[in-house]
Amino acid sequence: MRTLSILSIGAVLTLNSAVLAGPAMESLKIAKECSQFSGETPSFCTVTESNVAAIPTGTKILYYGPVTSSPLFSSSSVVLAVGPGDSAVGYCVVYDTAKPPLGMCAFHAGSGSLAGFQAIAKVTVDEKQIWHWDGGYLLGAASAAK
């Protein structure tokens, strides 16, 4: 049984998996290169590896930001643009001044081949400047269940 503990102002709340019932997330692993990222709106990166069939190599990740003007981190609305009618929308925040940069992306909706797409992923970058998203996702009708 999975448990989740939340520490809040000295109190610990433990929820078992029955309370957290919902569809299990699939593993999400995406790598992208950003050599064509210009900082303009939109700017984009290109998927170089993906374990999600609906997000193939070559998919453009369009960034429509910044949402805030922080000198410490970047924030952006994001669109996974697979093809006409096949896309997903979300939001990313990256702590740019960390060494190495570190962040998180969350997706909440999709259309076409990405209908019902929901995901959350940790964002990291390696020494070759390849960015990685590692997390979990739901796709299709299972993700629409509440």
Side-chain angles (χ1 to χ4, degrees), residues 1 9 31 35 54 84 108 122 130 145:
M1 179 179 281
I9 310 175
S35 63
H108 56 84
K122 177 181 175 181
I130 300 297

Side-chain angles (χ1 to χ4, degrees), residues 1 9-10 17 41 47 66 100 117 121 145:
M1 179 179 281
I9 310 175
S17 60
T41 301
V47 172
F117 186 75

Side-chain angles (χ1 to χ4, degrees), residues 19-142:
V19 175
L20 299 173
M25 295 183 89
E26 299 291 329
S27 173
L28 173 74
K29 295 202 175 290
I30 291 177
K32 63 184 181 119
E33 68 86 21
C34 298
S35 63
Q36 296 183 34
F37 186 89
S38 67
E40 297 293 318
T41 301
S43 286
F44 72 92
C45 295
T46 304
V47 172
T48 57
E49 295 178 37
S50 172
N51 72 328
V52 180
I55 306 172
T57 299
T59 295
K60 299 292 186 227
I61 304 170
L62 303 167
Y63 294 90
Y64 293 89
V67 176
T68 65
S69 59
S70 173
L72 301 175
F73 64 90
S74 59
S75 61
S76 184
S77 295
V78 180
V79 175
L80 286 171
V82 176
D86 299 318
S87 63
V89 295
Y91 185 79
C92 293
V93 175
V94 176
Y95 180 21
D96 297 312
T97 56
K99 300 292 183 212
L102 178 65
M104 177 147 303
C105 290
F107 289 83
H108 56 84
S111 63
S113 64
L114 291 173
F117 186 75
Q118 296 179 50
I120 189 157
K122 177 181 175 181
V123 177
T124 58
V125 62
D126 65 25
E127 65 282 347
K128 295 179 181 176
Q129 297 305 297
I130 300 297
W131 292 82
H132 300 273
W133 290 354
D134 295 296
Y137 77 97
L138 297 171
L139 183 61

